[in-house]
PDB file of all heavy atoms in Angstrom:
ATOM      1  N   GLN P   1      88.573  77.574 125.370  1.00  0.00           N
ATOM      2  CA  GLN P   1      89.301  78.452 124.472  1.00  0.00           C
ATOM      3  C   GLN P   1      90.465  77.717 123.813  1.00  0.00           C
ATOM      4  O   GLN P   1      91.625  77.964 124.063  1.00  0.00           O
ATOM      5  CB  GLN P   1      89.828  79.695 125.205  1.00  0.00           C
ATOM      6  CG  GLN P   1      90.359  80.716 124.217  1.00  0.00           C
ATOM      7  CD  GLN P   1      90.403  82.091 124.806  1.00  0.00           C
ATOM      8  OE1 GLN P   1      89.819  82.374 125.817  1.00  0.00           O
ATOM      9  NE2 GLN P   1      91.133  82.968 124.151  1.00  0.00           N
ATOM     10  N   MET P   2      90.123  76.807 122.955  1.00  0.00           N
ATOM     11  CA  MET P   2      91.145  76.141 122.177  1.00  0.00           C
ATOM     12  C   MET P   2      91.649  77.073 121.079  1.00  0.00           C
ATOM     13  O   MET P   2      92.768  76.946 120.604  1.00  0.00           O
ATOM     14  CB  MET P   2      90.568  74.859 121.556  1.00  0.00           C
ATOM     15  CG  MET P   2      90.080  73.845 122.585  1.00  0.00           C
ATOM     16  SD  MET P   2      91.393  73.331 123.700  1.00  0.00           S
ATOM     17  CE  MET P   2      92.430  72.431 122.546  1.00  0.00           C
ATOM     18  N   GLN P   3      90.808  78.037 120.684  1.00  0.00           N
ATOM     19  CA  GLN P   3      91.179  79.006 119.666  1.00  0.00           C
ATOM     20  C   GLN P   3      91.226  80.383 120.308  1.00  0.00           C
ATOM     21  O   GLN P   3      90.280  80.779 120.991  1.00  0.00           O
ATOM     22  CB  GLN P   3      90.177  78.993 118.515  1.00  0.00           C
ATOM     23  CG  GLN P   3      90.594  79.864 117.340  1.00  0.00           C
ATOM     24  CD  GLN P   3      89.651  79.701 116.161  1.00  0.00           C
ATOM     25  OE1 GLN P   3      88.665  78.987 116.253  1.00  0.00           O
ATOM     26  NE2 GLN P   3      89.951  80.367 115.070  1.00  0.00           N
ATOM     27  N   PRO P   4      92.309  81.136 120.121  1.00  0.00           N
ATOM     28  CA  PRO P   4      92.414  82.460 120.742  1.00  0.00           C
ATOM     29  C   PRO P   4      91.278  83.372 120.292  1.00  0.00           C
ATOM     30  O   PRO P   4      90.898  83.383 119.121  1.00  0.00           O
ATOM     31  CB  PRO P   4      93.764  82.981 120.239  1.00  0.00           C
ATOM     32  CG  PRO P   4      94.520  81.766 119.836  1.00  0.00           C
ATOM     33  CD  PRO P   4      93.504  80.787 119.343  1.00  0.00           C
ATOM     34  N   ALA P   5      90.739  84.138 121.233  1.00  0.00           N
ATOM     35  CA  ALA P   5      89.641  85.046 120.923  1.00  0.00           C
ATOM     36  C   ALA P   5      89.674  86.208 121.910  1.00  0.00           C
ATOM     37  O   ALA P   5      90.203  86.101 123.012  1.00  0.00           O
ATOM     38  CB  ALA P   5      88.300  84.318 120.996  1.00  0.00           C
ATOM     39  N   GLY P   6      89.090  87.340 121.481  1.00  0.00           N
ATOM     40  CA  GLY P   6      88.996  88.501 122.351  1.00  0.00           C
ATOM     41  C   GLY P   6      89.835  89.658 121.836  1.00  0.00           C
ATOM     42  O   GLY P   6      90.391  89.630 120.739  1.00  0.00           O
ATOM     43  N   LEU P   7      89.916  90.698 122.663  1.00  0.00           N
ATOM     44  CA  LEU P   7      90.546  91.965 122.281  1.00  0.00           C
ATOM     45  C   LEU P   7      91.963  92.079 122.836  1.00  0.00           C
ATOM     46  O   LEU P   7      92.199  91.769 124.008  1.00  0.00           O
ATOM     47  CB  LEU P   7      89.706  93.133 122.793  1.00  0.00           C
ATOM     48  CG  LEU P   7      90.220  94.546 122.484  1.00  0.00           C
ATOM     49  CD1 LEU P   7      90.182  94.825 120.991  1.00  0.00           C
ATOM     50  CD2 LEU P   7      89.421  95.584 123.254  1.00  0.00           C
ATOM     51  N   VAL P   8      92.893  92.527 122.000  1.00  0.00           N
ATOM     52  CA  VAL P   8      94.263  92.870 122.432  1.00  0.00           C
ATOM     53  C   VAL P   8      94.483  94.347 122.147  1.00  0.00           C
ATOM     54  O   VAL P   8      94.328  94.797 121.009  1.00  0.00           O
ATOM     55  CB  VAL P   8      95.322  92.031 121.679  1.00  0.00           C
ATOM     56  CG1 VAL P   8      96.727  92.467 122.110  1.00  0.00           C
ATOM     57  CG2 VAL P   8      95.124  90.554 121.943  1.00  0.00           C
ATOM     58  N   ARG P   9      94.845  95.106 123.177  1.00  0.00           N
ATOM     59  CA  ARG P   9      95.129  96.541 123.023  1.00  0.00           C
ATOM     60  C   ARG P   9      96.639  96.747 123.067  1.00  0.00           C
ATOM     61  O   ARG P   9      97.315  96.287 124.002  1.00  0.00           O
ATOM     62  CB  ARG P   9      94.464  97.381 124.114  1.00  0.00           C
ATOM     63  CG  ARG P   9      92.955  97.313 124.129  1.00  0.00           C
ATOM     64  CD  ARG P   9      92.374  98.409 125.020  1.00  0.00           C
ATOM     65  NE  ARG P   9      92.581  99.726 124.428  1.00  0.00           N
ATOM     66  CZ  ARG P   9      93.015 100.795 125.098  1.00  0.00           C
ATOM     67  NH1 ARG P   9      93.343 100.695 126.374  1.00  0.00           N
ATOM     68  NH2 ARG P   9      93.158 101.958 124.485  1.00  0.00           N
ATOM     69  N   ILE P  10      97.173  97.441 122.058  1.00  0.00           N
ATOM     70  CA  ILE P  10      98.614  97.620 121.961  1.00  0.00           C
ATOM     71  C   ILE P  10      98.933  99.046 121.523  1.00  0.00           C
ATOM     72  O   ILE P  10      98.273  99.602 120.642  1.00  0.00           O
ATOM     73  CB  ILE P  10      99.239  96.597 120.986  1.00  0.00           C
ATOM     74  CG1 ILE P  10     100.737  96.819 120.841  1.00  0.00           C
ATOM     75  CG2 ILE P  10      98.545  96.614 119.626  1.00  0.00           C
ATOM     76  CD1 ILE P  10     101.454  95.712 120.104  1.00  0.00           C
ATOM     77  N   SER P  11      99.946  99.632 122.147  1.00  0.00           N
ATOM     78  CA  SER P  11     100.435 100.963 121.786  1.00  0.00           C
ATOM     79  C   SER P  11     101.827 100.819 121.182  1.00  0.00           C
ATOM     80  O   SER P  11     102.633 100.014 121.658  1.00  0.00           O
ATOM     81  CB  SER P  11     100.493 101.866 123.024  1.00  0.00           C
ATOM     82  OG  SER P  11     101.098 103.112 122.717  1.00  0.00           O
ATOM     83  N   MET P  12     102.095 101.604 120.122  1.00  0.00           N
ATOM     84  CA  MET P  12     103.391 101.501 119.448  1.00  0.00           C
ATOM     85  C   MET P  12     103.783 102.842 118.857  1.00  0.00           C
ATOM     86  O   MET P  12     102.910 103.679 118.568  1.00  0.00           O
ATOM     87  CB  MET P  12     103.334 100.438 118.352  1.00  0.00           C
ATOM     88  CG  MET P  12     102.423 100.770 117.197  1.00  0.00           C
ATOM     89  SD  MET P  12     102.091  99.353 116.105  1.00  0.00           S
ATOM     90  CE  MET P  12     100.852  98.471 117.072  1.00  0.00           C
ATOM     91  N   PRO P  13     105.077 103.093 118.642  1.00  0.00           N
ATOM     92  CA  PRO P  13     105.494 104.330 117.993  1.00  0.00           C
ATOM     93  C   PRO P  13     104.936 104.423 116.575  1.00  0.00           C
ATOM     94  O   PRO P  13     104.813 103.411 115.874  1.00  0.00           O
ATOM     95  CB  PRO P  13     107.028 104.226 117.978  1.00  0.00           C
ATOM     96  CG  PRO P  13     107.364 103.226 119.028  1.00  0.00           C
ATOM     97  CD  PRO P  13     106.215 102.260 119.053  1.00  0.00           C
ATOM     98  N   THR P  14     104.608 105.629 116.148  1.00  0.00           N
ATOM     99  CA  THR P  14     103.981 105.828 114.846  1.00  0.00           C
ATOM    100  C   THR P  14     104.780 105.219 113.691  1.00  0.00           C
ATOM    101  O   THR P  14     104.239 104.433 112.908  1.00  0.00           O
ATOM    102  CB  THR P  14     103.745 107.325 114.590  1.00  0.00           C
ATOM    103  OG1 THR P  14     102.935 107.847 115.653  1.00  0.00           O
ATOM    104  CG2 THR P  14     103.035 107.551 113.273  1.00  0.00           C
ATOM    105  N   PRO P  15     106.064 105.549 113.529  1.00  0.00           N
ATOM    106  CA  PRO P  15     106.777 104.996 112.371  1.00  0.00           C
ATOM    107  C   PRO P  15     106.951 103.492 112.448  1.00  0.00           C
ATOM    108  O   PRO P  15     106.834 102.801 111.420  1.00  0.00           O
ATOM    109  CB  PRO P  15     108.132 105.720 112.404  1.00  0.00           C
ATOM    110  CG  PRO P  15     108.281 106.194 113.796  1.00  0.00           C
ATOM    111  CD  PRO P  15     106.909 106.484 114.289  1.00  0.00           C
ATOM    112  N   TYR P  16     107.223 102.964 113.633  1.00  0.00           N
ATOM    113  CA  TYR P  16     107.402 101.522 113.745  1.00  0.00           C
ATOM    114  C   TYR P  16     106.098 100.807 113.410  1.00  0.00           C
ATOM    115  O   TYR P  16     106.103  99.746 112.779  1.00  0.00           O
ATOM    116  CB  TYR P  16     107.872 101.135 115.142  1.00  0.00           C
ATOM    117  CG  TYR P  16     108.453  99.740 115.201  1.00  0.00           C
ATOM    118  CD1 TYR P  16     109.746  99.493 114.761  1.00  0.00           C
ATOM    119  CD2 TYR P  16     107.705  98.667 115.675  1.00  0.00           C
ATOM    120  CE1 TYR P  16     110.272  98.210 114.786  1.00  0.00           C
ATOM    121  CE2 TYR P  16     108.227  97.386 115.713  1.00  0.00           C
ATOM    122  CZ  TYR P  16     109.517  97.163 115.261  1.00  0.00           C
ATOM    123  OH  TYR P  16     110.026  95.888 115.281  1.00  0.00           O
ATOM    124  N   GLY P  17     104.982 101.392 113.843  1.00  0.00           N
ATOM    125  CA  GLY P  17     103.698 100.807 113.504  1.00  0.00           C
ATOM    126  C   GLY P  17     103.461 100.787 112.010  1.00  0.00           C
ATOM    127  O   GLY P  17     103.115  99.760 111.431  1.00  0.00           O
ATOM    128  N   HIS P  18     103.669 101.942 111.337  1.00  0.00           N
ATOM    129  CA  HIS P  18     103.398 102.041 109.903  1.00  0.00           C
ATOM    130  C   HIS P  18     104.310 101.124 109.078  1.00  0.00           C
ATOM    131  O   HIS P  18     103.851 100.478 108.135  1.00  0.00           O
ATOM    132  CB  HIS P  18     103.579 103.490 109.431  1.00  0.00           C
ATOM    133  CG  HIS P  18     102.393 104.353 109.712  1.00  0.00           C
ATOM    134  ND1 HIS P  18     101.229 104.266 109.005  1.00  0.00           N
ATOM    135  CD2 HIS P  18     102.191 105.320 110.645  1.00  0.00           C
ATOM    136  CE1 HIS P  18     100.352 105.140 109.469  1.00  0.00           C
ATOM    137  NE2 HIS P  18     100.901 105.792 110.464  1.00  0.00           N
ATOM    138  N   TYR P  19     105.593 101.111 109.419  1.00  0.00           N
ATOM    139  CA  TYR P  19     106.553 100.413 108.567  1.00  0.00           C
ATOM    140  C   TYR P  19     106.753  98.941 108.928  1.00  0.00           C
ATOM    141  O   TYR P  19     107.093  98.135 108.067  1.00  0.00           O
ATOM    142  CB  TYR P  19     107.913 101.112 108.620  1.00  0.00           C
ATOM    143  CG  TYR P  19     107.964 102.413 107.856  1.00  0.00           C
ATOM    144  CD1 TYR P  19     107.786 103.621 108.506  1.00  0.00           C
ATOM    145  CD2 TYR P  19     108.186 102.441 106.485  1.00  0.00           C
ATOM    146  CE1 TYR P  19     107.837 104.834 107.811  1.00  0.00           C
ATOM    147  CE2 TYR P  19     108.239 103.637 105.778  1.00  0.00           C
ATOM    148  CZ  TYR P  19     108.063 104.836 106.454  1.00  0.00           C
ATOM    149  OH  TYR P  19     108.102 106.009 105.768  1.00  0.00           O
ATOM    150  N   ARG P  20     106.539  98.573 110.200  1.00  0.00           N
ATOM    151  CA  ARG P  20     106.904  97.220 110.619  1.00  0.00           C
ATOM    152  C   ARG P  20     105.718  96.375 111.074  1.00  0.00           C
ATOM    153  O   ARG P  20     105.639  95.189 110.734  1.00  0.00           O
ATOM    154  CB  ARG P  20     107.939  97.279 111.761  1.00  0.00           C
ATOM    155  CG  ARG P  20     109.181  98.073 111.417  1.00  0.00           C
ATOM    156  CD  ARG P  20     109.857  97.535 110.188  1.00  0.00           C
ATOM    157  NE  ARG P  20     110.923  96.623 110.533  1.00  0.00           N
ATOM    158  CZ  ARG P  20     111.600  95.929 109.631  1.00  0.00           C
ATOM    159  NH1 ARG P  20     111.291  96.031 108.361  1.00  0.00           N
ATOM    160  NH2 ARG P  20     112.569  95.118 109.994  1.00  0.00           N
ATOM    161  N   VAL P  21     104.821  96.943 111.874  1.00  0.00           N
ATOM    162  CA  VAL P  21     103.779  96.118 112.487  1.00  0.00           C
ATOM    163  C   VAL P  21     102.521  96.036 111.626  1.00  0.00           C
ATOM    164  O   VAL P  21     102.015  94.944 111.349  1.00  0.00           O
ATOM    165  CB  VAL P  21     103.427  96.645 113.896  1.00  0.00           C
ATOM    166  CG1 VAL P  21     102.294  95.817 114.505  1.00  0.00           C
ATOM    167  CG2 VAL P  21     104.655  96.592 114.802  1.00  0.00           C
ATOM    168  N   LEU P  22     101.993  97.181 111.187  1.00  0.00           N
ATOM    169  CA  LEU P  22     100.730  97.167 110.445  1.00  0.00           C
ATOM    170  C   LEU P  22     100.770  96.282 109.196  1.00  0.00           C
ATOM    171  O   LEU P  22      99.776  95.597 108.905  1.00  0.00           O
ATOM    172  CB  LEU P  22     100.319  98.591 110.067  1.00  0.00           C
ATOM    173  CG  LEU P  22     100.076  99.569 111.237  1.00  0.00           C
ATOM    174  CD1 LEU P  22      99.452 100.854 110.731  1.00  0.00           C
ATOM    175  CD2 LEU P  22      99.210  98.948 112.322  1.00  0.00           C
ATOM    176  N   PRO P  23     101.873  96.247 108.448  1.00  0.00           N
ATOM    177  CA  PRO P  23     101.888  95.361 107.273  1.00  0.00           C
ATOM    178  C   PRO P  23     101.746  93.874 107.602  1.00  0.00           C
ATOM    179  O   PRO P  23     101.440  93.071 106.716  1.00  0.00           O
ATOM    180  CB  PRO P  23     103.267  95.644 106.639  1.00  0.00           C
ATOM    181  CG  PRO P  23     103.611  97.023 107.084  1.00  0.00           C
ATOM    182  CD  PRO P  23     103.072  97.110 108.483  1.00  0.00           C
ATOM    183  N   LEU P  24     101.955  93.494 108.864  1.00  0.00           N
ATOM    184  CA  LEU P  24     101.884  92.090 109.257  1.00  0.00           C
ATOM    185  C   LEU P  24     100.497  91.655 109.720  1.00  0.00           C
ATOM    186  O   LEU P  24     100.226  90.454 109.849  1.00  0.00           O
ATOM    187  CB  LEU P  24     102.875  91.814 110.396  1.00  0.00           C
ATOM    188  CG  LEU P  24     104.345  92.120 110.136  1.00  0.00           C
ATOM    189  CD1 LEU P  24     105.140  91.938 111.426  1.00  0.00           C
ATOM    190  CD2 LEU P  24     104.889  91.221 109.038  1.00  0.00           C
ATOM    191  N   LEU P  25      99.618  92.623 109.991  1.00  0.00           N
ATOM    192  CA  LEU P  25      98.407  92.292 110.738  1.00  0.00           C
ATOM    193  C   LEU P  25      97.328  91.598 109.911  1.00  0.00           C
ATOM    194  O   LEU P  25      96.485  90.899 110.466  1.00  0.00           O
ATOM    195  CB  LEU P  25      97.854  93.555 111.404  1.00  0.00           C
ATOM    196  CG  LEU P  25      98.824  94.169 112.426  1.00  0.00           C
ATOM    197  CD1 LEU P  25      98.154  95.296 113.189  1.00  0.00           C
ATOM    198  CD2 LEU P  25      99.373  93.119 113.397  1.00  0.00           C
ATOM    199  N   ALA P  26      97.339  91.776 108.605  1.00  0.00           N
ATOM    200  CA  ALA P  26      96.401  91.000 107.784  1.00  0.00           C
ATOM    201  C   ALA P  26      96.701  89.510 107.912  1.00  0.00           C
ATOM    202  O   ALA P  26      95.786  88.678 108.020  1.00  0.00           O
ATOM    203  CB  ALA P  26      96.492  91.448 106.325  1.00  0.00           C
ATOM    204  N   LYS P  27      97.984  89.167 107.924  1.00  0.00           N
ATOM    205  CA  LYS P  27      98.386  87.768 108.090  1.00  0.00           C
ATOM    206  C   LYS P  27      97.973  87.248 109.463  1.00  0.00           C
ATOM    207  O   LYS P  27      97.477  86.119 109.592  1.00  0.00           O
ATOM    208  CB  LYS P  27      99.898  87.628 107.903  1.00  0.00           C
ATOM    209  CG  LYS P  27     100.413  86.213 108.088  1.00  0.00           C
ATOM    210  CD  LYS P  27     101.917  86.137 107.859  1.00  0.00           C
ATOM    211  CE  LYS P  27     102.450  84.733 108.059  1.00  0.00           C
ATOM    212  NZ  LYS P  27     103.925  84.656 107.843  1.00  0.00           N
ATOM    213  N   PHE P  28      98.166  88.084 110.507  1.00  0.00           N
ATOM    214  CA  PHE P  28      97.773  87.661 111.854  1.00  0.00           C
ATOM    215  C   PHE P  28      96.280  87.386 111.919  1.00  0.00           C
ATOM    216  O   PHE P  28      95.846  86.382 112.499  1.00  0.00           O
ATOM    217  CB  PHE P  28      98.156  88.724 112.879  1.00  0.00           C
ATOM    218  CG  PHE P  28      97.716  88.397 114.279  1.00  0.00           C
ATOM    219  CD1 PHE P  28      98.465  87.540 115.060  1.00  0.00           C
ATOM    220  CD2 PHE P  28      96.543  88.930 114.796  1.00  0.00           C
ATOM    221  CE1 PHE P  28      98.049  87.204 116.349  1.00  0.00           C
ATOM    222  CE2 PHE P  28      96.121  88.608 116.074  1.00  0.00           C
ATOM    223  CZ  PHE P  28      96.874  87.746 116.857  1.00  0.00           C
ATOM    224  N   ARG P  29      95.480  88.259 111.320  1.00  0.00           N
ATOM    225  CA  ARG P  29      94.030  88.079 111.369  1.00  0.00           C
ATOM    226  C   ARG P  29      93.581  86.842 110.593  1.00  0.00           C
ATOM    227  O   ARG P  29      92.579  86.218 110.931  1.00  0.00           O
ATOM    228  CB  ARG P  29      93.345  89.326 110.822  1.00  0.00           C
ATOM    229  CG  ARG P  29      93.451  90.539 111.746  1.00  0.00           C
ATOM    230  CD  ARG P  29      92.399  90.515 112.817  1.00  0.00           C
ATOM    231  NE  ARG P  29      91.076  90.695 112.220  1.00  0.00           N
ATOM    232  CZ  ARG P  29      89.936  90.285 112.762  1.00  0.00           C
ATOM    233  NH1 ARG P  29      89.946  89.645 113.911  1.00  0.00           N
ATOM    234  NH2 ARG P  29      88.776  90.508 112.162  1.00  0.00           N
ATOM    235  N   GLN P  30      94.322  86.485 109.560  1.00  0.00           N
ATOM    236  CA  GLN P  30      94.004  85.245 108.848  1.00  0.00           C
ATOM    237  C   GLN P  30      94.260  84.031 109.740  1.00  0.00           C
ATOM    238  O   GLN P  30      93.508  83.058 109.716  1.00  0.00           O
ATOM    239  CB  GLN P  30      94.835  85.142 107.580  1.00  0.00           C
ATOM    240  CG  GLN P  30      94.409  86.121 106.481  1.00  0.00           C
ATOM    241  CD  GLN P  30      95.308  86.042 105.258  1.00  0.00           C
ATOM    242  OE1 GLN P  30      96.379  85.442 105.305  1.00  0.00           O
ATOM    243  NE2 GLN P  30      94.877  86.647 104.174  1.00  0.00           N
ATOM    244  N   LEU P  31      95.326  84.115 110.528  1.00  0.00           N
ATOM    245  CA  LEU P  31      95.665  83.008 111.424  1.00  0.00           C
ATOM    246  C   LEU P  31      94.734  82.942 112.627  1.00  0.00           C
ATOM    247  O   LEU P  31      94.375  81.860 113.102  1.00  0.00           O
ATOM    248  CB  LEU P  31      97.112  83.150 111.906  1.00  0.00           C
ATOM    249  CG  LEU P  31      98.210  82.992 110.862  1.00  0.00           C
ATOM    250  CD1 LEU P  31      99.565  83.375 111.454  1.00  0.00           C
ATOM    251  CD2 LEU P  31      98.242  81.558 110.343  1.00  0.00           C
ATOM    252  N   TYR P  32      94.336  84.119 113.145  1.00  0.00           N
ATOM    253  CA  TYR P  32      93.530  84.190 114.372  1.00  0.00           C
ATOM    254  C   TYR P  32      92.345  85.138 114.155  1.00  0.00           C
ATOM    255  O   TYR P  32      92.329  86.257 114.674  1.00  0.00           O
ATOM    256  CB  TYR P  32      94.392  84.664 115.543  1.00  0.00           C
ATOM    257  CG  TYR P  32      95.628  83.829 115.766  1.00  0.00           C
ATOM    258  CD1 TYR P  32      96.886  84.295 115.391  1.00  0.00           C
ATOM    259  CD2 TYR P  32      95.535  82.566 116.344  1.00  0.00           C
ATOM    260  CE1 TYR P  32      98.025  83.523 115.592  1.00  0.00           C
ATOM    261  CE2 TYR P  32      96.663  81.787 116.549  1.00  0.00           C
ATOM    262  CZ  TYR P  32      97.906  82.274 116.173  1.00  0.00           C
ATOM    263  OH  TYR P  32      99.023  81.514 116.374  1.00  0.00           O
ATOM    264  N   PRO P  33      91.351  84.713 113.413  1.00  0.00           N
ATOM    265  CA  PRO P  33      90.242  85.616 113.050  1.00  0.00           C
ATOM    266  C   PRO P  33      89.380  86.058 114.224  1.00  0.00           C
ATOM    267  O   PRO P  33      88.655  87.047 114.106  1.00  0.00           O
ATOM    268  CB  PRO P  33      89.434  84.779 112.046  1.00  0.00           C
ATOM    269  CG  PRO P  33      89.781  83.357 112.360  1.00  0.00           C
ATOM    270  CD  PRO P  33      91.205  83.379 112.806  1.00  0.00           C
TER     271      PRO P  33
END
């Protein structure tokens, strides 16, 4: 596993998810598909 793979399960508050975390996840998926 030189490259990260698999499932990450995360729980977060609704507003923090919508305004802070979700907008970042497209970038994360580009880095770690």
